[in-house]
Amino acid sequence: MENALKTMKIFILLLSMVVRSSQLTLNECGVEARRPQYNDIAVECGTSSITLEIKLCPVIYTGYNESLLILNHMMQSECRASLETSGGSPVARFTFPLNMTHACGSVFLTTSAAGTGVFSDFSNIQTVNISGIVRSVDPTTGTVTYNAELKYYYSCAYPLEYLINNTQIDVSASSIAVRDNNGTFISTLSMTLYSDENYTEPLIIPEAGIELRTSVYVKVKATNLTSQYHVLLDRCYASISPLPTNSSFFNLFVPCNKDRLTTILLNGEAQEANFKFQAFRFIEQQNETVSTYFLHCITRLCERSICSTFRDCNQRRKRSTLETSDVESTDTYTLTSPMITTASDTSSSKEQAAVADERSDSTAGLGAAVGVLAFVCIVALSVAAIFYMRLRN
């Protein structure tokens, strides 16, 4: 009896979905009335949500409509498809947030692998794969049906390791059909420089550069990020060139090793990470008026429950220095940041000015001595001439 009531409720629900459907007809589809194909689904892996678009005419051709396409067996209204006809071919559109508790039944799977390229210093690079299926529900009653079952699979892969600098990053990505698709959280990350420990006053760098040993406060922040992730800085470094390839660089910190004048204040414990360092200059720029360099950070989004394992030096590979080949940049994650300029050593400047003044005084003294000597010579010649004239007379 209970099973019969459950079946009746499902049947009534399906009938109500058919009544609420758009009633798009095959005649309106024209040449697009055909059997379904593998490329009938488009997947957009966004920064805060995933959007699926399924061509609707093949669905209608098979005997269904957008109300009979169910996402991961979820019947809630927010997980249902809506009809979209403004883009040309009509589509059934699903949009759901990237949140483990509100992703309309999507499966979240985190995998780990050894890093390569710019991430080769790390033995545990994580990727989150979000996947699921859209199935058709057959409203046919009776013993047999002539409607084929429809299945549309989707998958989005989100890396959790990024190379950023103090430029806001905006990236969008999309792919098509049942192939795996790549998305990114990278547009939710930003890096800002401050001059105070409360992170309220943005750092303003004058044309002459900031003084050596000035404290620079750095904040890396994630916004519009689902709550299960925290921000973890794996490595931050400075390089003379905007792109670190073939450029001198200096590590502020790498896994389990940091410069003595760098202090990590907050890392892997919230959706922002903070650290500070003291302004320095590159020795190879010692003949320059100011030393200029760029700041880069490799940033991980880690699940809150396992962030602590990435801070455990006993469970990760560490390297105190990196070869230049290890920091080669990729087009995907490397951006150019504004320059940091450091003023030259003020004591050296004063010493050079004193030497210049001393040379100026020496030159002036030599000129005065030459002038006096010339005057004496002129007077002596005049006296000799007068004496000679008197002797002749």
Side-chain angles (χ1 to χ4, degrees):
M1 184 64 178
E2 183 178 351
N3 290 336
L5 288 174
K6 185 176 180 181
T7 303
M8 181 62 69
K9 289 180 179 179
I10 295 175
F11 178 71
I12 294 174
L13 179 61
L14 292 176
L15 286 178
S16 66
M17 290 191 295
V18 173
V19 171
R20 293 198 306 268
S21 70
S22 62
Q23 298 299 318
L24 188 69
T25 65
L26 286 178
N27 291 333
E28 295 176 273
C29 288
V31 295
E32 294 187 1
R34 56 167 175 77
R35 296 180 64 85
Q37 297 176 357
Y38 286 109
N39 60 354
D40 282 347
I41 180 173
V43 183
E44 181 180 351
C45 304
T47 59
S48 59
S49 63
I50 292 177
T51 298
L52 313 177
E53 290 187 349
I54 299 174
K55 290 183 178 180
L56 193 55
C57 284
V59 173
I60 294 176
Y61 181 88
T62 312
Y64 306 99
N65 55 50
E66 75 277 5
S67 65
L68 295 175
L69 296 178
I70 307 301
L71 175 62
N72 298 319
H73 304 287
M74 305 297 290
M75 307 300 289
Q76 294 90 334
S77 59
E78 61 270 21
C79 299
R80 304 300 303 280
S82 61
L83 175 64
E84 179 61 51
T85 58
S86 60
S89 300
V91 297
R93 176 179 293 172
F94 298 85
T95 299
F96 51 89
L98 293 178
N99 189 304
M100 292 182 68
T101 57
H102 303 289
C104 291
S106 298
V107 177
F108 284 66
L109 178 63
T110 302
T111 59
S112 300
T116 60
V118 70
F119 306 120
S120 58
D121 188 51
F122 309 107
S123 59
N124 195 351
I125 301 298
Q126 289 188 307
T127 300
V128 174
N129 185 277
I130 304 173
S131 60
I133 182 174
V134 176
R135 294 175 179 264
S136 60
V137 177
D138 195 341
T140 303
T141 60
T143 307
V144 299
T145 181
Y146 293 94
N147 298 331
E149 183 182 11
L150 300 180
K151 296 180 182 180
Y152 298 91
Y153 294 90
Y154 65 90
S155 175
C156 288
Y158 289 86
L160 297 183
E161 195 92 18
Y162 303 101
L163 174 63
I164 67 170
N165 49 32
N166 45 325
T167 298
Q168 180 66 43
I169 301 171
D170 295 304
V171 176
S172 61
S174 64
S175 192
I176 296 176
V178 294
R179 304 166 188 167
D180 289 343
N181 304 290
N182 293 325
T184 177
F185 291 125
I186 202 169
S187 65
T188 67
L189 295 174
S190 63
M191 181 165 65
T192 310
L193 306 181
Y194 294 89
S195 59
D196 67 311
E197 61 184 5
N198 295 322
Y199 292 87
T200 58
E201 298 294 332
L203 179 65
I204 298 176
I205 301 178
E207 183 177 352
I210 57 178
E211 295 294 333
L212 292 171
R213 293 182 178 269
T214 297
S215 292
V216 178
Y217 295 85
V218 184
K219 173 183 287 188
V220 175
K221 184 177 181 180
T223 55
N224 299 323
L225 179 64
T226 182
S227 60
Q228 69 258 30
Y229 295 110
H230 283 172
V231 170
L232 178 72
L233 301 181
D234 269 331
R235 176 190 175 210
C236 286
Y237 63 101
S239 67
I240 291 179
S241 170
L243 299 180
T245 305
N246 299 325
S247 169
S248 297
F249 67 90
F250 173 70
N251 284 318
L252 296 172
F253 58 86
V254 294
C256 305
N257 189 12
K258 69 179 182 64
D259 178 65
R260 62 185 181 87
L261 295 182
T262 297
T263 303
I264 300 176
L265 304 172
L266 182 67
N267 198 19
E269 302 172 43
Q271 294 197 346
E272 67 178 50
N274 304 329
F275 71 95
K276 70 174 181 177
F277 67 95
Q278 294 190 11
F280 54 87
R281 64 183 178 88
F282 281 87
I283 294 178
E284 69 181 77
Q285 295 179 333
Q286 59 185 347
N287 295 326
E288 304 291 337
T289 305
V290 295
S291 177
T292 63
Y293 47 88
F294 300 82
L295 184 64
H296 312 272
C297 283
I298 294 177
T299 304
R300 179 193 301 272
L301 301 181
C302 58
E303 291 185 273
R304 292 184 303 175
S305 60
I306 62 172
C307 281
S308 59
T309 63
F310 291 100
R311 298 195 299 268
D312 186 357
C313 293
N314 295 325
Q315 296 188 29
R316 62 186 302 169
R317 190 159 46 97
K318 65 179 181 177
R319 193 179 305 166
S320 58
T321 59
L322 297 175
E323 300 297 334
T324 302
S325 60
D326 289 331
V327 293
E328 291 182 350
S329 303
T330 63
D331 294 337
T332 306
Y333 298 121
T334 300
L335 299 176
T336 301
S337 70
M339 290 188 304
I340 298 175
T341 55
T342 304
S344 59
D345 192 345
T346 53
S347 61
S348 298
S349 300
K350 292 177 181 178
E351 181 180 348
Q352 292 174 0
V355 172
D357 291 342
E358 182 180 348
R359 290 178 179 175
S360 177
D361 292 342
S362 299
T363 303
L366 179 61
V370 172
V372 171
L373 180 61
F375 178 76
V376 171
C377 291
I378 292 173
V379 171
L381 289 174
S382 298
V383 171
I386 294 172
F387 183 74
Y388 175 74
M389 294 294 293
R390 288 180 177 179
L391 287 178
R392 290 188 59 184
N393 294 332

